[in-house]
Amino acid sequence: MYGIILSPFEIKFEWDLGNYTLYPSQITWMPGSYRAYVSVVKMKQVSEIYSDLLPHALCAILSITTSHPFKSPRSHPVPFYTSFPKLEERALVTYGLTYPVLSAGPGTLRIEMDEREELSLASNIREIISLLKTIKYDVYRKFMQNARLVQLSLINKREDFGLSYQLLVSSIESVA
């Protein structure tokens, strides 16, 4: 099964995350000074029932680990399933509209990582995923709820700082 992850920066190398493989970003230019970094994630040993939910869970883990917002589109248009893992331009634009990243002008977010940093980050994420498999379900559920609140806080920070702040406070309170 495949899923889509949109990142705030270019992923240049393939990330082996255990049951997941995150492929390098495919970049598409959007209107104005925006671009989108679209990555395909291959999910091994996944039931079709959960195939739409797992990219969202993975994005929450990526967001809380990197402190940068990752996002996954809510649904995947059926015609694009035939083009995985290399997406055609029409698919890139459709997915990219979900999470465009400002790439020029005031407020630009530029994140550059070299190979060593990126592979170290992937290794840390793989370790977190493997640790999550070993903990009790109720602790896992609390962690994922907390990670989701942090992810939503990061996504909303630019548009609504007050909401972002409240989501972050809620995530802290939920584990305190």
Side-chain angles (χ1 to χ4, degrees), residues 1-5 20 41-58 72-76 81 84:
M1 299 298 303
Y2 292 97
I4 299 294
I5 289 183
Y20 309 100
V41 60
K42 183 177 183 179
M43 301 173 285
K44 306 166 194 152
Q45 303 170 355
V46 174
S47 169
E48 211 170 304
I49 298 169
Y50 302 111
S51 63
D52 279 351
L53 299 175
L54 282 173
H56 296 292
L58 185 57
S72 183
R74 280 282 172 210
S75 61
H76 307 297
Y81 276 116
F84 287 142

Side-chain angles (χ1 to χ4, degrees), residues 158-176:
R158 178 174 282 202
E159 299 298 321
D160 189 346
F161 185 78
L163 173 63
S164 176
Y165 177 78
Q166 288 299 320
L167 288 167
L168 198 55
V169 168
S170 295
S171 74
I172 293 167
E173 286 176 347
S174 71
V175 294

Side-chain angles (χ1 to χ4, degrees), residues 25-84:
S25 298
Q26 299 171 54
I27 303 170
T28 186
W29 286 94
M30 309 304 287
S33 298
Y34 289 91
R35 66 173 86 168
Y37 302 101
V38 183
S39 294
V40 174
V41 60
K42 183 177 183 179
M43 301 173 285
K44 306 166 194 152
Q45 303 170 355
V46 174
S47 169
E48 211 170 304
I49 298 169
Y50 302 111
S51 63
D52 279 351
L53 299 175
L54 282 173
H56 296 292
L58 185 57
C59 283
I61 294 168
L62 291 167
S63 294
I64 201 167
T65 306
T66 64
S67 298
H68 294 292
F70 284 77
K71 197 171 180 184
S72 183
R74 280 282 172 210
S75 61
H76 307 297
V78 175
F80 299 148
Y81 276 116
T82 58
S83 63
F84 287 142

Side-chain angles (χ1 to χ4, degrees), residues 84-156:
F84 287 142
K86 186 73 174 158
L87 297 170
E88 57 192 51
E89 186 62 30
R90 184 176 62 126
L92 289 173
V93 170
T94 302
Y95 291 132
L97 288 171
T98 308
Y99 184 52
V101 177
L102 187 62
S103 61
T108 300
L109 176 65
R110 281 252 163 97
I111 303 166
E112 295 287 332
M113 283 191 250
D114 63 14
E115 181 178 2
R116 184 180 45 79
E117 290 173 316
E118 194 172 320
L119 295 177
S120 171
L121 182 61
S123 174
N124 292 342
I125 293 166
R126 181 183 178 139
E127 186 177 333
I128 289 170
I129 291 171
S130 66
L131 287 173
L132 286 173
K133 291 177 186 176
T134 65
I135 60 178
K136 294 179 187 174
Y137 179 73
D138 58 328
V139 176
Y140 167 81
R141 194 183 70 206
K142 270 195 182 285
F143 175 84
M144 289 306 296
Q145 288 171 344
N146 186 311
R148 180 71 172 142
L149 286 172
V150 171
Q151 177 196 22
L152 291 172
S153 174
L154 291 168
I155 288 171
N156 288 301

